[in-house]
Amino acid sequence: MPSTPPARSDPTGPTGPLDVIVIGAGFSGLYALHRLRVLGFRVRVLEQADNVGGTWLFNRYPGARCDIESIEYSYSFSEEIQQEWVWTETMPAQPEIEAYLNFVADRLDLRRDIAFGAEVVSMTFDEDSEVWHVRTAAGEVFVVPYVVAASGILSVPLEPAIDGMDTFAGTSLFTSRWPADDVDLTGKRVGVIGTGSTGVQLIPVVARQAGHLTVFQRSPAYTLPWQVRAFAPGELDALKGDYDQIREAQRQHPVGAARLSAFSVLLDMLAKPPLKAATREEQLAAIDDNGVMGALSWGDIFFDIEANQQAAELYGEAVARIVRDPETAAALKPTHPFGCKRPIIDQGYYETFNRDNVTLVDLRKDPIVTVTPEGIRTEQDLHEFDVIIYATGFDAMTGALTRMDIRGRDGMSLADFWGSEGPYSYLGIAVAGFPNLFIVQTPGSPSAATNFVAALEQHVEWIGDCLSYLRDHDHRTIEALPDAQREWIEHTTALVAPTVLVHPTCNSWYNGGNVPGKKRMYMGYTAGIPEYRRRCDEIADAGYTGFKLG
């Protein structure tokens, strides 16, 4: 048996011992590396993939696109990068985001401090020496004082548990690990399982290619119709000239996206008149004018479940005006409260079901029994396919960390703690019992309830400033206190208590309800980025209250 490679604190040779390991080379990890290097820390990034990009490297399925405008779904820390990079569309598609992250990595010379193909499988905190032992799948061990986990909130896909999947004789594809090479679906019989955000983006594109497409739907989605377009000549240059104002507006905006985005549309709805006070004529006029968006544009639907249910009925009426087949239209009407799941941008989703080559299977009426060599057998039929595509979601927010064996004080397992108590954290950055471990966008942070890039920049900058403070004041450890963590979670859960976001009928990755056995808790911070930043700064300015510094 080969011997275990020795512990290493100097993987790059002349730079000397490392100060920080960063896990992940997506949006968060790249900025963390750059920021910490600028602050004078010796940093190494461990990335399990063979390139930068994180979620945007693997989720390259047809139609993959961001739901925030490109000029805001981008780094704000570098004026040079803002001015040099050229976006081509108002909302960027996956290939453009992946190319952007590669550009950033090269422009800032980040690759020299990134170890690719380095999957972190375990981390153990040594209480005597006050360092982390970080082990990779290859058996290499890095010994460092601090770890920044930038492993992503949507980086661990949920593998569907359907009998017979390995027996299918055709091609099985997973949206979360789509092949790098083009997949030709022309003329083929294709089945898609899943109608969340991925499915809604994927289905219209596949329908235009496939000979026949069958969509297997468990939970109908609410969608926001969207127009994505190429920038007009000179338009991007004008926006770049206004970047100072755009970024300042972002900083002041609750979701960190001052221009058009799925999140900003939701906030706009709060200012609308209440649905329960509207007459039937006013309700119909709303969908006459704005279709499905008109059904949702009411100020009381986030706080009043009865209003929300009325909106769902009105939404169903709007869908029935688009989808010609009454049975299909009825099956597409959502039943969960609007807002409790992430909003989905829609480019011709409902219109797709008017195509002659598209069939919808409602799994609530005709559930899947098994996958066979020929295709998918439901209780009522056998659907034969050449290709099956699985778009079945993610173990969001916590999955990337709980799949590692992370052990803090007294050998405490992070996976066990979150599994029994719930995904607790302090500020959405640190977890009590795990000293010197910083997490970018953990539960209790703005994370997926906002513009991810705007939120992560605040996280990375706060973490960098904290590490500088520890260095300058000769502290070796920082650890969240259990009482401060409990108070923070009480605060975050109180914010959503009066809303439909925590309604028991909603199984969302926002609350862990999409993962069997996962402890349910709404995992986002909903008071907005400016308020979150204010609280974090206040804690730092007071000498990091709620933390024990050693």
Side-chain angles (χ1 to χ4, degrees):
M1 178 180 293
S3 61
T4 301
R8 297 178 61 189
S9 60
D10 180 16
T12 55
T15 60
L18 289 171
D19 300 308
V20 187
I21 284 288
V22 174
I23 303 174
F27 262 107
S28 300
L30 293 179
Y31 184 36
L33 170 57
H34 171 70
R35 178 76 175 181
L36 293 174
R37 282 198 326 199
V38 168
L39 293 171
F41 293 98
R42 293 161 297 193
V43 189
R44 188 72 163 163
V45 175
L46 303 181
E47 168 55 56
Q48 66 175 343
D50 60 1
N51 204 351
V52 302
T55 296
W56 293 107
L57 175 63
F58 293 104
N59 288 269
R60 52 170 69 97
Y61 58 86
R65 184 180 296 277
C66 182
D67 56 6
I68 294 169
E69 288 199 5
S70 53
I71 60 167
E72 292 191 312
Y73 192 78
S74 56
Y75 293 122
S76 68
F77 66 84
S78 168
E79 178 65 15
E80 291 78 11
I81 288 174
Q82 287 186 157
Q83 296 302 323
E84 292 173 16
W85 178 256
V86 178
W87 295 106
T88 65
E89 294 183 296
T90 53
M91 287 188 169
Q94 180 275 333
E96 194 159 26
I97 300 174
E98 183 184 347
Y100 170 74
L101 291 172
N102 276 273
F103 167 79
V104 171
D106 294 333
R107 181 67 173 77
L108 300 176
D109 189 23
L110 299 179
R111 296 181 196 274
R112 62 182 167 90
D113 288 320
I114 303 174
F116 294 107
E119 179 186 1
V120 175
V121 294
S122 68
M123 293 167 37
T124 303
F125 185 71
D126 185 325
E127 297 185 52
D128 294 329
S129 55
E130 298 176 323
V131 294
W132 282 97
H133 292 248
V134 182
R135 182 181 294 272
T136 69
E140 194 168 26
V141 179
F142 297 85
V143 180
V144 291
Y146 303 102
V147 174
V148 175
S151 44
I153 63 173
L154 293 173
S155 55
V156 176
L158 282 178
E159 297 294 338
I162 304 174
D163 289 341
M165 286 175 56
D166 58 347
T167 70
F168 180 55
T171 301
S172 297
L173 297 171
F174 297 81
T175 54
S176 56
R177 53 178 187 270
W178 198 265
D181 299 329
D182 288 339
V183 177
D184 186 7
L185 300 176
T186 304
K188 294 185 177 180
R189 300 167 300 171
V190 180
V192 172
I193 300 176
T195 55
S197 181
T198 297
V200 168
Q201 291 184 343
L202 171 85
I203 285 164
V205 180
V206 172
R208 295 193 292 269
Q209 302 172 2
H212 193 90
L213 170 64
T214 304
V215 177
F216 294 87
Q217 171 193 267
R218 181 183 62 180
S219 176
Y222 294 95
T223 75
L224 309 178
W226 221 264
Q227 292 295 322
V228 177
R229 59 177 178 79
F231 281 115
E235 182 180 4
L236 181 61
D237 289 337
L239 290 170
K240 287 182 177 183
D242 200 32
Y243 242 138
D244 287 346
Q245 290 75 22
I246 291 171
R247 294 306 192 188
E248 180 57 29
Q250 274 188 269
R251 286 182 60 83
Q252 301 304 322
H253 198 277
V255 298
R259 295 171 60 84
L260 192 61
S261 73
F263 293 113
S264 61
V265 168
L266 294 184
L267 284 181
D268 290 343
M269 292 175 182
L270 296 175
K272 302 291 184 180
L275 175 59
K276 291 176 74 172
T279 65
R280 176 62 174 165
E281 290 73 21
E282 290 171 331
Q283 294 175 12
L284 291 176
I287 59 175
D288 286 342
D289 295 339
N290 294 304
V292 294
M293 286 293 295
L296 303 173
S297 296
W298 306 94
D300 53 353
I301 63 175
F302 291 104
F303 303 99
D304 187 324
I305 190 61
E306 290 184 2
N308 199 291
Q309 291 167 342
Q310 289 181 25
E313 293 299 320
L314 195 59
Y315 187 93
E317 292 185 56
V319 171
R321 295 184 178 191
I322 302 170
V323 179
R324 291 191 291 266
D325 178 66
E327 185 176 351
T328 301
L332 288 166
K333 188 188 83 170
T335 57
H336 62 273
F338 173 70
C340 79
K341 296 186 179 184
R342 184 179 175 89
I344 301 173
I345 61 172
D346 160 15
Q347 295 186 79
Y349 179 66
Y350 291 121
E351 290 82 357
T352 297
F353 292 95
N354 290 328
R355 296 177 63 99
D356 293 336
N357 71 327
V358 177
T359 302
L360 178 69
V361 176
D362 186 349
L363 296 180
R364 295 167 298 179
K365 296 181 178 179
D366 187 15
I368 293 174
V369 176
T370 187
V371 176
T372 71
E374 297 79 20
I376 296 175
R377 182 177 297 280
T378 63
E379 286 186 352
Q380 300 175 18
D381 206 350
L382 172 63
H383 304 268
E384 297 186 353
F385 299 116
D386 303 304
V387 180
I388 298 176
I389 300 174
Y390 297 92
T392 47
F394 297 88
D395 184 355
M397 302 292 288
T398 60
L401 295 174
T402 56
R403 67 173 178 164
M404 306 174 199
D405 184 12
I406 301 176
R407 299 195 175 259
R409 290 200 185 278
D410 301 320
M412 182 195 309
S413 162
L414 181 62
D416 290 347
F417 173 69
W418 276 352
S420 60
E421 301 297 325
Y424 288 6
S425 76
Y426 181 43
L427 302 182
I429 291 176
V431 180
F434 297 84
N436 294 6
L437 172 62
F438 298 90
I439 306 171
V440 181
Q441 311 266 44
T442 200
S445 71
S447 57
T450 58
N451 175 356
F452 178 80
V453 180
L456 78 84
E457 284 191 321
Q458 181 276 337
H459 263 52
V460 168
E461 289 159 10
W462 192 93
I463 291 168
D465 291 345
C466 179
L467 288 173
S468 296
Y469 179 92
L470 298 176
R471 178 183 59 192
D472 296 344
H473 291 79
D474 295 324
H475 292 294
R476 290 174 57 89
T477 60
I478 182 169
E479 181 178 357
L481 295 172
D483 286 347
Q485 178 171 269
R486 175 181 48 77
E487 290 170 2
W488 181 256
I489 294 301
E490 288 175 353
H491 167 59
T492 62
T493 54
L495 291 172
V496 295
T499 74
V500 299
L501 299 176
V502 291
H503 196 269
T505 62
C506 183
N507 292 320
S508 166
W509 63 258
Y510 276 172
N511 59 30
N514 66 321
V515 180
K518 190 170 182 177
K519 194 83 171 183
R520 287 179 67 110
M521 187 183 86
Y522 190 83
M523 293 184 280
Y525 182 79
T526 58
I529 293 178
E531 173 61 14
Y532 177 79
R533 183 186 300 111
R534 185 194 67 78
R535 287 175 176 268
C536 288
D537 290 348
E538 184 179 76
I539 286 167
D541 291 344
Y544 295 92
T545 53
F547 289 95
K548 178 182 178 181
L549 278 59

